Amino acid sequence: MANVAVIGAQWGDEGKGKVVDWLASRADIVVRFQGGHNAGHTLVVGNQTYKLSLLPSGLVRGKLGIIGNGVVIDPEALLSEIARVGAQGLAVTPATLRIADAAPLILPLHAALDRAREAARGERRIGTTGRGIGPAYEDKVARRAIRVADLAEPATLSDKLDELLLHHNTLLAGLGAATFDRRELLQRLLALAPQVLPFAEPVWERLDEARRAGRRILFEGAQAVMLDVDHGTYPFVTSSNTVAATAASGSGIGPAAVGFVLGIAKAYCTRVGAGPFPTELTDATGTLLGDRGLEFGTVTGRRRRCGWFDAALVRQAVKVGGIQGLALTKLDVLDGLPELKIGVGYRLDGALLRRLPASPQAQAAAEPVYETLPGWPDSTRGARSWADLPAPAVKYVRRIEELVEAPVTLLSTSPERDDTILMRDPFEG
Ligand code: GDP
Ligand code: IMO
Ligand code: MG
């Protein structure tokens, strides 16, 4: 029985939360391994809608949730999310959630620096979520981060804050932003410590035990391959590796334990924030997709940019992300469109490319090359079996499989948990 890693195959918001929630019924443990509260995963369960940013989606199914060392944790955001879902009737306790003691913390100064830098970039801004994700990962790599385990050692916290502030206050002052006071920050952290520490442990040990006992582990990715700091549309990316390989290093388990890699892609394409988007539609069809797909950022509230399915982009994500099967979501949003286009490559300087070029200038200049397929007048919304799908929808899905060079193993036809068609159980490997 394989474990499963779920990762986004476009620019995020593909419906990872819904798919992880659905698959979690077959898993024992759900693990977040990268990103932070920049993620926004929406789960619709009957008349309840859960919007999770940091908490693993499996908690909603009563499964053990683990936040791995690869995640950057804003302790205040974590506690307020626990309180928010608690008010919805979902109790999150140290018995249901474990947090890696080695995970770096996001502090208020990280969000301040994130926003100050974006403001200074002006027109050239990345369009970050402003939550301090980038600066927190920078501190981790620079070896000056404060980590969860440090909260248990108040005696050394003050010195650690000194080192951190030497760096950050210099930058913040240079950007004309307010600086931070060590004593205030220390008080804030000391007050948070007793609330956070009961969740903390070396999660690698628990994962090792679970693996040896044959428990099923579901790794929940955040963001997506095209936002990966190495493989995405750099510099318009997030600051973590979002590919499935990170499930291992971001949780403390060997790569062989990651199991089947399920990529999630929308049946069209969206992007929040700035950066190249070759198949973007700025016309009425783009607006229609946005309206019907309710394409508003879970975290930012910003309207998502919409466009046609880009098979060249997803094929690239399949290759670099190690995707073995694709879950195609939001097929229902395409209902009623007379014809559909699929991006199959790019034209650049007279040449035909089957992949995105690496430089942002070339990515922005790449013209999409399309293939046109017939749409379907019927509704696919809520379809729960392959036989319920109209023939042109089946043809559309089959063509996507050929172009991206991966089988579609799961289809989603509404935000609802059970409106899902399973072609191949990823836990069967
Ligand atoms: P994530 O970040 O990948 O978890 O995705 P988000 O939750 O940010 O965005 C996906 C949105 O699409 C959510 O509002 C989901 O409820 C919704 N959704 C997921 N699957 C489907 C589907 O098959 N059809 C429709 N219409 N909506 C869906
Ligand atoms: P989920 O998990 C979509 C985007 C931001 C910005 C870029 C960098 O819900 O799919 P950051 O704050 O991470 O430094 O911003 O990445 N971004 C996302 N876009 N879905 C997400 O998460 C995202 N997380 C970050 O909009 O363009
Ligand atoms: Mg999202």
Side-chain angles (χ1 to χ4, degrees):
M1 218 43 80
N3 294 327
V4 174
V6 167
I7 61 169
Q10 294 159 321
W11 281 292
D13 304 323
E14 296 91 350
K16 297 178 290 293
K18 164 175 165 162
V19 173
V20 170
D21 169 58
W22 193 77
L23 289 174
S25 66
R26 294 153 196 256
D28 299 299
I29 301 179
V30 179
V31 185
R32 275 283 309 267
F33 54 89
Q34 46 71 231
H37 66 312
N38 49 347
H41 298 172
T42 310
L43 287 62
V44 180
V45 184
N47 57 9
Q48 282 278 17
T49 298
Y50 298 95
K51 291 185 181 293
L52 304 180
S53 282
L54 205 44
L55 296 175
S57 295
L59 286 168
V60 175
R61 293 272 190 178
K63 300 302 162 100
L64 179 70
I66 289 185
I67 299 181
N69 56 277
V71 175
V72 281
I73 302 176
D74 180 327
E76 288 174 350
L78 174 74
L79 294 172
S80 68
E81 192 171 326
I82 290 174
R84 188 160 48 77
V85 299
Q88 286 186 276
L90 179 68
V92 176
T93 68
T96 59
L97 175 71
R98 308 304 296 157
I99 297 177
D101 50 9
L105 297 180
I106 301 183
L107 303 180
L109 49 84
H110 293 121
L113 183 60
D114 192 355
R115 292 196 203 113
R117 280 204 304 226
E118 282 284 274
R121 281 187 194 113
E123 289 285 284
R124 287 170 31 252
R125 67 182 169 274
I126 292 164
T128 71
T129 58
R131 300 197 153 187
I133 306 295
Y137 277 116
E138 289 165 30
D139 279 355
K140 163 176 157 169
V141 178
R143 298 167 291 194
R144 59 174 170 257
I146 293 181
R147 309 200 300 176
V148 171
D150 295 328
L151 293 175
E153 293 171 18
T156 59
L157 258 184
S158 184
D159 285 349
K160 291 196 175 99
L161 278 174
D162 265 343
E163 190 189 341
L164 205 59
L165 284 175
L166 176 69
H167 179 82
H168 283 273
N169 277 344
T170 313
L171 278 175
L172 286 166
L175 287 162
T179 56
F180 284 80
D181 177 60
R182 177 176 51 82
R183 214 169 320 164
E184 253 173 60
L185 270 179
L186 184 62
Q187 289 311 317
R188 224 159 140 169
L189 285 180
L190 291 178
L192 287 165
Q195 300 175 72
V196 173
L197 286 171
F199 294 97
E201 70 176 21
V203 298
W204 62 267
E205 229 163 28
R206 187 180 293 265
L207 287 170
D208 181 56
E209 276 162 27
R211 188 184 56 76
R212 282 188 287 119
R215 301 256 181 279
R216 286 178 175 188
I217 306 170
L218 179 56
F219 297 94
E220 176 178 11
Q223 291 82 51
V225 176
M226 286 301 146
L227 289 171
D228 182 285
V229 67
D230 285 289
H231 299 290
T233 46
Y234 193 90
F236 301 96
V237 293
T238 192
S239 297
S240 64
N241 283 110
T242 58
V243 291
T246 315
S249 60
S251 61
I253 205 166
V258 171
F260 188 85
V261 182
L262 183 68
I264 319 292
K266 273 179 205 180
Y268 49 104
C269 192
T270 64
R271 169 161 213 176
V272 226
F277 182 173
T279 62
E280 182 170 14
L281 289 165
T282 49
D283 61 1
T285 308
T287 309
L288 182 85
L289 291 175
D291 289 346
R292 296 185 51 193
L294 302 176
E295 297 296 356
F296 295 93
T298 315
V299 166
T300 57
R302 279 181 282 170
R303 205 180 164 97
R304 296 176 186 145
R305 301 155 66 192
C306 296
W308 295 120
F309 186 87
D310 187 342
L313 186 97
V314 174
R315 175 179 170 272
Q316 192 165 330
V318 163
K319 308 289 178 192
V320 300
I323 291 169
Q324 294 164 292
L326 207 65
L328 204 62
T329 63
K330 305 189 99 163
L331 188 70
D332 55 295
V333 175
L334 301 177
D335 291 351
L337 287 175
E339 59 176 32
L340 304 171
K341 291 190 177 175
I342 299 181
V344 295
Y346 316 98
R347 204 177 298 284
L348 184 69
D349 298 331
L352 201 61
L353 297 180
R354 220 183 150 193
R355 54 165 173 78
L356 260 189
S359 96
Q361 292 77 9
Q363 286 169 4
E367 291 284 339
V369 178
Y370 289 116
E371 199 174 286
T372 304
L373 274 80
W376 50 90
D378 334 54
S379 167
T380 63
R381 190 160 170 110
R384 290 186 185 184
S385 91
W386 188 244
D388 290 341
L389 298 180
V394 172
K395 200 170 158 200
Y396 183 71
V397 175
R398 292 295 182 220
R399 187 61 186 137
I400 284 177
E401 284 185 318
E402 282 169 10
L403 288 167
V404 307
E405 298 176 19
V408 171
T409 55
L410 203 146
L411 269 173
S412 165
T413 57
S414 102
E416 276 284 339
R417 180 183 262 187
D418 292 320
D419 292 340
T420 305
I421 303 172
L422 180 68
M423 277 84 104
R424 181 170 143 198
D425 185 347
F427 284 109
E428 301 295 338

